[in-house]
């Protein structure tokens, strides 16, 4: 390009422009190279780690098979004929199985058909059942003598079953046609030299994955061993340590032998020996994309994400090759590096902004200086910050550029170190956050908070204070580098409001600072307590061997602003020298973040505890409301849980018999059982009181015998009127009076009979039923409309009754259409609940004659179902509750106490196999409480001996669990309950011997 005539360019402007272009180009190249280098570092780190994991798994897999192969080769090399002698060989084979827990069995077969084998049963129930061995069998020894030319059917196999200490538990002899010479492992080993290994398969007796190794003996015969591969998944997980990723082992045909994935890689585990191409696991599907026989790792795409894969082939034996693979997402390695790259870019941009103005002063004689700077830039590009260059130039501009370069280098070095330290602190915060969010034990949570904060700020000692009532703090826990966490004294102090606290002796001064920080709330940092002017702490260590220098106190504040307490750290320690010094200001944001995490975690624990307390209170309120609903069943919902818990506690202490395996291992399991017990009758809130409390047959909201009496009164008045009319009509007064008295006596007798039938004390015989119908057929004359003054529901039920002109003749006892209350569709029950109760057609039948003809008791079929329906409503109500996982069995515990062991109970007619121990406990508690209760409308209070006798009848009929009934008596639970809840006159002598067993 031609320069216009007359235009003059100053030399230093041109030099500056060229130098600016050069510097910008150089820094751009550096940033691009650094960007690529950061990416390569992430891939290199991931490849290196998971290549080592794949190598480690391959080596361990090979060692496991090699160890077994070494033993097989060693035994095959011995020319010892005693190996086929069952008595001589067994100790050696057992010793081999003891030393090698992965070895399933070890055996030897001779050319003459002799065979000896030891199987490591190791109390495996499935293997023991397959062999017909006792349950405690640890080793099974099978010996088969030589054939000696006889028929195969004449040979006998001897099985000996041994305990872990070598004791013989049993012996079995049986005819066998088994010959080792016919087995593939024998034929293969005899036909080939060296160790032979089968492809993996599932053992028939144990169902475990394994393979067989065999080797021909020098003196004849073959040594064989079955190697179980069941532990592959466990040791595959060990090399992963804290890395996010997974490992897998598969054979040369692509069948999966083992698989493990760390948390965060949610994926279905494959079935043993499932082919890779049949698996739905995306991480296994990706294995098919690996380059066959590749020695290095590869980057593959799984569901749109980049994963690093490493694979190693392991030759177990000729033609038997396993492949060990490891994989992980690249995001687990690139995240921190991406942040370092971004900060490096920002620093570089800042350096460029400073350097470019200085380029204006660049002049001649800069080649040597720029060369030095360029060489140093090459080292920086490789993230090498070592070395120190010195530029001596007569030009001020070059000296300034050199200093800027050194500033950039120093800044990058310091920022890289700072990034590393920041990353460590952030990792600590993340780990602590994960622990706090998952920890349910409050004491362990406090320990995490205290120790995590002490490590984060390199403090020598730490204290945790928690807020109490009325603005108080208490020291909950303290720790130092020399001792473990220790619980603190329970003393509380008032939190300061405005002014710093006055001087207090140890340890009150420390607590006062914590209280002041919590009251503000405000962070308090003191570099040296002896020079601090805000607090009088110069004599804080008086009377103590401990010397306090620096202090950092941070309040625990939730997102809502509630102060949960305070964290206090003493004496910051230098990470390198261990010297005590002040806390750096840069640590405060991290400690505040930790305090915020901790406050939220403590608040969550507090909320959970409050939720539990609220729920337990609501459960007891519901139970109390049900008890208060009826004067006849008051206290039932309170007494049954008490009795159920007493019996459950005894059952948990049983160590033998049918109850030996039962126990509630956690507080959540006990709470689940208690809630189920308290809610076992919650469905009674739907049962009308007049049904529960029905003491006579005609009773609904009131006793309708009064209506019947009124009708008898009407008939008596009619008889009186008839007497008077007969006299007026000419009948002799004496004859009319005699007829009236006869009628009056009959009415009095008939009403007394109806009233007595209403009580329900006697069963209704056919003769009594016929008399009730005969009395009820008498008529009386109604003059008033019976359709006025009725509710809408009553009018609706009476709509199908024919209307008659008044006066109308009616029977003395009426069963009208309006008495029949239909069951609506809404009152049917969802089939998914599996209820198997006979449901009456009607919801209620209030017919007078229908009720009086009830054969026993006072309840009709409809009313008895309505009472029994309370258990159905209990199940439905609890099913609608969104119960958490640790309370999922509450509906089971609450809804099965009317079931029996023979399937005759209700509402589902469950059998013994469907009833858990807690459900059986609830049945006994419910029945016994009902038998001994003194507030039932249909019976009086039974003495203790009578209640036990009746409960024993339930045992004999298999309505309740016999073992729990015996425990109920032998443990004395029945008597402890009686002493708490029964009247003294009910407690009499019980002959337990007559009922136990």
């Amino acid at each position: 390009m031609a320069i216009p005539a007359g235009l003059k360019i100053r030399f230093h402007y041109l030099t500056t422009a060229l130098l600016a272009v050069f510097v910008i180009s150089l820094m751009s190249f550096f940033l691009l190279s650094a960007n690529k280098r950061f990416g390569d570092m992430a891939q290199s780190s991931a490849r290196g780690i998971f290549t080592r994991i794949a190598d480690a798994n391959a080596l361990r897999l090979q060692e496991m098979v090699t160890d077994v192969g070494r033993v097989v080769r060693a035994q095959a090399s011995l020319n010892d004929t005693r190996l086929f002698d069952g008595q001589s060989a067994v100790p050696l084979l057992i010793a081999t199985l003891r030393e090698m827990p992965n070895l399933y069995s070890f055996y030897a077969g001779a050319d003459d058909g002799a065979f000896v084998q030891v199987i490591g049963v190791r109390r495996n129930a499935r293997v023991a059942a397959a062999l017909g061995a006792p349950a405690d069998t640890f080793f099974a020894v099978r010996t088969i003598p030589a054939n000696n030319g006889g028929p195969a059917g004449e040979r006998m196999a001897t099985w000996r079953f041994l305990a872990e200490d070598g004791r013989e538990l049993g012996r079995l002899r049986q005819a066998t046609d088994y010959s080792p010479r016919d087995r593939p492992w024998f034929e293969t080993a005899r036909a080939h030299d060296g160790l032979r290994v089968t492809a993996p398969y599932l053992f028939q007796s144990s169902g475990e994955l394994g393979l067989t190794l065999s080797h021909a003996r020098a003196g004849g015969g073959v040594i064989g061993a079955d190697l179980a591969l069941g532990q592959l998944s466990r040791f595959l997980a060990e090399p992963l340590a804290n890395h996010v990723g997974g490992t897998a082992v598969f054979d040369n045909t692509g069948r999966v032998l083992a698989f493990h994935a760390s948390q965060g890689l949610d994926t279905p585990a494959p079935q043993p020996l499932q082919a890779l191409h049949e698996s739905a696991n995306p991480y296994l599907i990706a294995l098919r994309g690996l380059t066959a026989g590749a020695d290095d790792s590869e980057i593959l795409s799984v569901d749109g994400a980049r994963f690093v894969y490493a694979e190693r082939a392991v030759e177990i034996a000729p033609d038997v090759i396993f492949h060990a693979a490891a994989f992980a997402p690249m995001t687990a390695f690139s995240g921190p590096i991406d942040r370092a790259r971004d900060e490096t870019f920002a620093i570089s941009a800042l350096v460029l902004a400073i350097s470019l103005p200085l380029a204006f002063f660049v002049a001649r004689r800069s080649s040597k200086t720029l060369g030095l700077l360029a060489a140093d830039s090459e080292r920086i590009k490789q993230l090498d910050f070592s070395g120190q260059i010195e530029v001596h130039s007569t030009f001020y501009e070059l000296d300034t550029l050199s200093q800027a370069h050194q500033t950039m280098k120093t800044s990058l070095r310091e920022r890289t170190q700072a990034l590393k330290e920041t990353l460590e602190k952030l990792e600590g915060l993340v780990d602590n956050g994960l622990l706090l969010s998952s920890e349910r034990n409050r004491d362990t949570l406090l320990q995490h908070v205290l120790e995590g904060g002490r490590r984060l700020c390199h403090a020598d000692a730490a204290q945790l204070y928690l807020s109490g009532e009325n603005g108080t703090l208490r020291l909950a826990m303290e720790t130092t580098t020399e001792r473990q966490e220790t619980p603190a004294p329970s003393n509380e102090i008032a939190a300061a409001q405005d002014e710093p606290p006055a001087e207090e002796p140890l340890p009150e001064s420390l607590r006062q600072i914590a209280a002041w920080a919590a009251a503000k709330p405000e962070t308090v940092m003191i570099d040296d307590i002896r020079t601090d002017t805000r607090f009088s702490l110069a004599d804080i260590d008086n009377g103590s061997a401990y010397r306090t220098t620096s202090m950092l106190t941070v309040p625990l504040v939730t997102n809502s602003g509630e102060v949960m307490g305070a964290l206090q750290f003493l004496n910051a320690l230098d990470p390198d020298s261990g010297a005590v010094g002040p806390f750096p200001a840069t640590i405060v944001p991290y400690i505040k973040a930790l305090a915020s995490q901790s406050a939220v975690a403590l608040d969550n624990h507090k909320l959970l505890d409050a939720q539990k307390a609220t729920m337990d209170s609501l459960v007891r309120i519901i139970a109390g409301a049900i008890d208060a609903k009826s004067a006849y069943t008051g206290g039932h919902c309170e007494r049954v849980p008490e009795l159920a818990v007493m019996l459950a506690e005894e059952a948990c202490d049983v160590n033998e018999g049918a109850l030996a395996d039962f126990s509630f291992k956690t507080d959540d399991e006990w709470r689940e059982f208690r809630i189920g017990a308290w809610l076992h009758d919650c469905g009674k809130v739907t049962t009308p009181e007049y049904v529960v409390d029905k003491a006579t047959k005609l009773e609904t909201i009131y006793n309708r015998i009064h209506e019947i009496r009124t009708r008898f009164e009407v008939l008596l008045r009619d008889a009186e009127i008839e007497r008077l009319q007969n006299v007026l009509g000419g009948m002799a007064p004496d004859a009319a009076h005699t007829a009236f008295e006869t009628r009056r006596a009959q009415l009095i007798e008939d009403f007394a009979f109806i009233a007595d039938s209403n009580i329900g004390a006697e069963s209704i015989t056919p003769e009594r039923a016929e008399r009730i119908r005969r009395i009820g057929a008498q008529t009386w004359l109604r003059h008033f409309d019976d359709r006025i003054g009725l509710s809408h529901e009553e009018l609706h039920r009476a709509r199908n009754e024919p209307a008659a002109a008044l006066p109308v003749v009616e029977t003395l006892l009426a069963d009208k259409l309006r008495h029949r209350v239909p069951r609506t569709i809404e009152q049917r029950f969802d089939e998914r609940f599996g209820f198997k109760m006979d449901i009456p057609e009607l919801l209620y039948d209030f017919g007078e004659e229908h009720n009086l003809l009830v054969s026993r008791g006072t309840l009709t079929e409809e009313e008895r179902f309505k009472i029994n329906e309370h258990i159905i409503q209990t199940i439905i109500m609890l099913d609608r509750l969104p119960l958490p996982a640790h309370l999922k069995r509450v509906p089971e515990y609450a809804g099965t106490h009317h079931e029996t062991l023979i399937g005759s109970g209700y509402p589902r007619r469950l059998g013994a196999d469907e009833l858990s121990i807690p459900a059986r406990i609830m049945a006994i508690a419910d029945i016994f409480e009902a038998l001994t209760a003194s507030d039932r409308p249909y019976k009086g209070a039974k003495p203790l001996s009578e209640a036990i006798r009746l409960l024993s009848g339930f045992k004999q009929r298999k309505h309740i669990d016999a073992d729990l009934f015996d425990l109920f008596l032998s443990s004395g639970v029945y008597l402890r309950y009686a002493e708490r809840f029964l009247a003294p006159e009910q407690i009499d002598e019980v002959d337990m011997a007559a009922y136990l067993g």
Side-chain angles (χ1 to χ4, degrees):
M1 181 179 65
I3 299 176
L7 179 62
K8 303 295 183 181
I9 300 176
R10 292 183 179 272
F11 177 77
H12 63 275
Y13 284 135
L14 177 60
T15 305
T16 300
L18 293 176
L19 184 59
V21 171
F22 172 75
V23 171
I24 292 174
S25 300
L26 179 63
M27 294 307 299
S28 299
F29 175 75
F30 162 72
L31 293 176
L32 291 175
S33 299
N35 184 38
K36 182 178 184 304
R37 181 64 175 172
F38 280 132
D40 292 341
M41 286 174 61
Q43 292 195 17
S44 176
S45 176
R47 289 174 184 268
I49 290 174
F50 280 83
T51 297
R52 289 195 298 273
I53 290 176
D55 289 340
N57 285 338
L59 180 60
R60 297 180 70 183
L61 179 63
Q62 193 170 38
E63 286 177 349
M64 183 174 70
V65 179
T66 301
D67 289 345
V68 177
R70 187 180 299 112
V71 173
V72 173
R73 288 192 188 94
Q75 293 299 325
S77 66
L78 298 176
N79 189 10
D80 188 353
T81 58
R82 293 179 300 170
L83 186 61
F84 302 102
D85 176 7
Q87 295 299 326
S88 300
V90 166
L92 175 61
L93 300 182
I94 288 179
T96 302
L97 287 177
R98 287 186 189 276
E99 291 298 323
M100 309 185 75
N102 289 325
L103 203 57
Y104 173 67
S105 72
F106 203 72
Y107 43 86
D111 294 337
D112 58 4
F115 183 69
V116 60
Q117 179 184 25
V118 175
I119 297 176
V121 181
R122 298 183 177 93
R123 300 191 187 94
N124 187 313
R126 180 173 178 179
V127 177
L131 300 179
D136 203 35
T137 300
F138 206 82
F139 298 108
V141 181
R142 176 169 60 160
T143 55
I144 302 176
N147 192 351
N148 295 327
E154 296 178 357
R155 302 174 70 205
M156 299 296 292
T158 301
W159 288 91
R160 289 191 299 135
F161 305 113
L162 307 180
E164 186 175 5
D165 58 3
R167 290 181 296 104
E168 184 170 309
L169 302 176
R171 187 179 289 242
L172 176 66
R173 284 177 55 82
Q174 54 184 198
T176 182
D177 57 359
Y178 181 87
S179 175
R181 295 173 299 185
D182 301 333
R183 309 305 296 174
W185 57 268
F186 190 95
E187 295 175 348
T188 303
R190 296 294 289 164
H192 299 84
D193 293 334
L195 183 70
R196 309 305 300 174
V197 182
T198 67
Y201 64 98
L202 297 177
F203 294 156
Q204 182 176 3
S205 58
S206 67
E208 285 194 71
L209 182 67
L211 47 81
T212 297
L213 296 86
S214 58
H215 197 292
R217 295 183 68 249
V222 173
I223 299 296
D226 292 336
L227 174 61
L229 299 179
Q231 299 298 318
L232 270 179
S233 295
R234 178 184 60 78
F235 78 67
L236 284 181
E238 294 176 359
L240 278 177
N242 298 323
H243 297 291
V244 177
T247 55
V249 174
F250 54 95
D251 62 13
N252 217 27
T253 63
R255 297 184 302 170
V256 180
L257 307 182
F259 177 80
H260 171 80
S262 64
Q263 292 184 354
L265 298 181
D266 296 330
T267 182
Q271 297 295 324
L273 298 182
Q274 184 180 30
L276 288 175
H277 66 275
E278 297 176 351
S279 173
N281 188 315
Y283 306 111
L284 292 177
I285 294 174
L287 284 173
R288 293 182 293 170
L290 286 176
T291 304
D295 292 331
D296 201 356
S297 57
E298 296 186 32
I299 305 299
L300 301 178
S301 177
V302 179
D303 291 340
R306 298 173 69 235
F307 275 70
V308 58
Y309 272 79
E311 180 214 343
R312 289 293 180 270
V314 183
E315 184 174 3
I316 304 302
D319 301 328
V320 179
I321 298 176
F322 288 175
H323 298 265
F327 59 89
M330 281 298 301
T331 55
F333 300 89
S334 61
I337 294 177
D338 287 345
R339 290 192 295 273
R341 177 199 61 198
D342 294 341
E343 291 194 27
T344 301
F345 285 176
I347 293 172
S348 299
L350 178 62
V351 172
L352 281 173
I354 297 173
S355 300
L356 285 178
L358 298 177
F360 180 78
F361 302 99
V362 174
R364 293 170 296 177
R365 301 177 63 182
S366 60
S367 300
K368 181 179 179 180
T369 301
L370 292 177
L372 293 174
L373 294 177
D376 200 37
S377 296
E378 284 293 330
R379 289 194 297 271
I380 294 176
K381 186 176 67 174
Q382 302 298 324
L383 298 181
D384 179 8
F385 302 105
S386 63
Q388 187 76 19
I389 64 170
E390 295 184 4
V391 176
H392 299 285
S393 175
T394 57
F395 295 97
Y396 169 80
E397 293 84 352
L398 289 181
D399 285 339
T400 303
L401 178 60
S402 174
Q403 293 173 10
H405 181 83
Q406 292 306 316
T407 300
M408 178 188 71
K409 182 177 178 180
T410 302
S411 297
L412 287 174
R413 180 171 60 248
E414 292 175 350
R415 291 300 294 169
T416 301
Q417 181 63 27
L419 284 174
K420 181 180 179 182
E421 294 175 357
T422 300
L423 182 60
E424 292 176 353
K425 290 181 174 62
L426 290 176
E427 287 176 348
L429 283 176
V430 170
D431 292 342
N432 192 70
L434 293 175
L435 287 172
L436 295 181
S437 63
S438 61
E439 183 57 57
R440 299 181 63 183
N441 183 277
R442 187 172 182 272
D443 290 338
T444 306
L445 174 66
L446 296 179
Q447 178 180 329
H448 285 325
V449 170
L450 193 62
E451 185 59 25
R454 190 186 64 79
R455 288 197 303 266
L456 187 62
C457 64
H458 297 289
D460 178 60
Q463 295 173 322
L464 173 62
Y465 296 87
L466 294 180
S467 296
E469 297 180 357
N470 302 321
T472 60
L473 285 183
R474 66 179 180 86
L475 181 58
M477 187 174 291
E478 60 182 354
T479 181
T480 70
T481 55
E482 287 79 19
R483 64 179 187 272
Q484 297 296 321
E485 290 76 8
T486 58
S490 60
N491 56 309
E492 296 189 351
I493 59 172
Q497 298 301 318
D498 297 309
E499 299 299 326
E503 179 180 350
E504 297 286 347
L506 185 71
E508 284 300 313
S509 297
L510 294 178
R511 297 193 185 101
Q512 290 291 346
I513 293 176
W516 189 82
K520 285 298 184 179
E522 182 178 302
T523 298
V524 176
M525 187 164 67
I526 301 175
D527 294 340
D528 190 335
I529 62 173
R530 286 156 186 81
T531 60
D532 184 77
T533 58
R534 295 175 298 168
F535 301 90
S536 299
L537 301 173
D539 58 347
I540 193 172
D541 294 324
N542 286 352
S544 172
Y546 191 83
R547 180 176 176 79
T548 305
T549 300
S550 55
M551 181 187 302
L552 175 60
T553 306
V554 182
L556 301 174
V557 185
T558 66
N559 295 333
S560 62
E562 180 183 1
V563 178
M564 304 298 296
L567 281 171
Q568 191 167 68
F569 304 101
L570 307 176
N571 291 350
L573 301 177
D574 185 270
D576 298 323
S577 65
V580 175
F583 289 93
T586 55
I587 199 62
V588 174
Y590 299 100
I591 295 297
K592 284 185 176 179
L594 171 68
S596 178
Q597 286 180 343
S598 305
V600 171
L602 291 172
D603 191 36
N604 289 339
H605 267 258
K606 180 180 177 182
L607 291 175
L608 287 175
D609 291 342
Q611 274 187 341
K612 287 182 179 180
T614 301
M615 182 174 182
D616 291 347
S617 297
L618 287 175
V619 168
R620 290 176 180 262
I621 288 173
I622 292 172
I626 295 170
D627 283 345
K629 181 180 179 183
S630 170
Y632 294 119
T633 60
H636 174 76
C637 290
E638 179 180 358
R639 292 190 292 266
V640 168
E642 294 292 333
L643 179 55
V645 169
M646 292 168 65
L647 184 53
E649 289 174 343
E650 294 294 339
C652 288
D653 292 336
V654 175
N655 296 320
E656 58 184 14
L659 301 175
D661 295 333
F662 167 74
S663 68
F664 289 134
K665 299 179 177 62
T666 65
D667 291 340
D668 282 344
E669 290 179 350
W670 272 111
R671 181 166 178 264
E672 183 179 43
F673 178 69
R674 287 190 179 93
I675 290 176
W678 277 94
L679 294 177
H680 80 283
D681 271 351
C682 67
K684 283 185 178 178
V685 299
T686 65
T687 307
E689 293 178 41
Y690 76 86
V691 176
V692 177
D693 299 345
K694 188 178 182 184
T696 64
K697 296 181 180 180
L698 290 173
E699 186 173 344
T700 52
I701 302 300
Y702 71 101
N703 192 346
R704 293 179 293 161
I705 192 67
H706 304 301
E707 292 187 23
I708 307 301
R709 182 190 299 107
T710 302
R711 295 173 196 165
F712 273 96
E713 294 283 357
V714 170
L715 291 179
L716 182 60
R717 300 299 182 275
D718 287 348
E720 175 72 17
I721 294 171
E722 183 180 3
R723 181 182 71 81
L724 295 174
Q725 288 177 341
N726 287 338
V727 171
L728 292 175
M731 180 181 289
D734 291 342
H737 180 73
T738 300
F740 168 73
E741 288 297 329
T742 301
R743 176 61 171 162
R744 187 171 75 87
Q746 181 64 47
L747 288 174
I748 292 174
E749 180 182 353
D750 287 347
F751 177 72
F753 177 78
I754 293 297
D756 182 66
S757 299
N758 185 41
I759 300 301
E762 297 184 9
S763 61
I764 299 298
T765 63
E767 292 77 16
R768 290 181 68 90
E770 179 59 31
R771 185 177 177 186
I772 290 173
R773 294 189 184 95
R774 186 171 62 253
I775 294 173
Q778 299 179 67
T779 61
W780 62 286
L781 196 63
R782 175 170 60 83
H783 292 80
F784 297 93
D785 189 352
D786 65 349
R787 294 176 184 248
I788 61 177
L790 303 183
S791 68
H792 174 76
E793 182 65 25
E794 289 178 292
L795 286 173
H796 182 73
R797 294 203 302 269
R799 69 187 187 283
N800 294 326
E801 293 181 358
L806 298 174
V808 62
V809 176
E810 291 196 351
T811 58
L812 186 62
L813 299 177
D815 283 356
K816 298 183 178 181
L817 291 177
R818 68 183 66 180
H819 288 148
R820 297 168 60 86
V821 181
R823 186 178 297 276
T824 64
I825 296 178
E826 291 76 10
Q827 291 162 335
R828 303 291 177 178
F829 306 113
D830 196 327
E831 294 181 357
R832 70 184 177 87
F833 292 110
F835 298 138
K836 297 179 181 178
M837 296 176 66
D838 296 329
I839 303 176
E841 176 187 359
L842 298 177
L843 184 63
Y844 296 110
D845 190 337
F846 299 128
E848 296 163 348
E849 188 174 288
H850 175 76
N851 277 262
L852 286 170
L853 290 175
V854 170
S855 60
R856 292 186 64 86
T858 62
L859 299 177
T860 64
E861 176 188 3
E862 294 80 12
E863 290 165 338
R864 190 168 299 280
F865 176 82
K866 190 62 180 176
I867 287 182
N868 291 344
E869 186 189 3
H870 81 275
I871 194 65
I872 292 179
Q873 296 299 334
T874 294
I875 294 172
I876 293 175
M877 289 167 63
L878 295 178
D879 178 75
R880 292 171 179 169
L881 287 177
L883 295 171
H886 63 278
L887 296 179
K888 286 298 183 184
R889 300 191 70 180
V890 165
E892 173 199 343
Y893 297 157
T896 53
H897 58 279
H898 288 299
E899 302 287 357
T900 69
L901 302 179
I902 56 176
S904 60
Y906 65 90
R908 293 190 176 107
R909 298 179 184 171
L910 302 177
D913 294 340
E914 300 169 284
L915 294 174
S916 64
I917 297 298
R920 301 180 187 200
I921 290 174
M922 285 298 303
I924 292 177
D926 187 72
I927 296 172
F928 187 74
E929 193 284 332
L931 290 174
T932 56
S934 59
D935 47 13
R936 297 297 190 264
Y938 45 82
K939 69 175 183 64
K942 296 186 182 298
L944 188 59
S945 59
E946 176 67 9
I948 295 297
R949 184 187 67 79
L950 293 174
L951 191 62
S952 175
F954 284 92
K955 167 190 170 182
Q956 298 300 327
R957 295 190 296 274
K958 296 184 178 180
H959 285 193
I960 62 174
D961 186 276
D963 295 303
L964 285 172
F965 173 81
D966 289 352
L967 179 64
F968 180 68
L969 293 184
S970 62
S971 65
V973 168
Y974 79 98
L975 187 57
R976 295 202 304 273
Y977 174 81
E979 291 171 347
R980 287 183 57 186
F981 296 105
L982 269 59
E985 58 269 17
Q986 287 182 260
I987 304 176
D988 57 0
E989 194 68 29
V990 176
D991 182 12
M992 292 195 301
Y995 306 115
L996 292 175

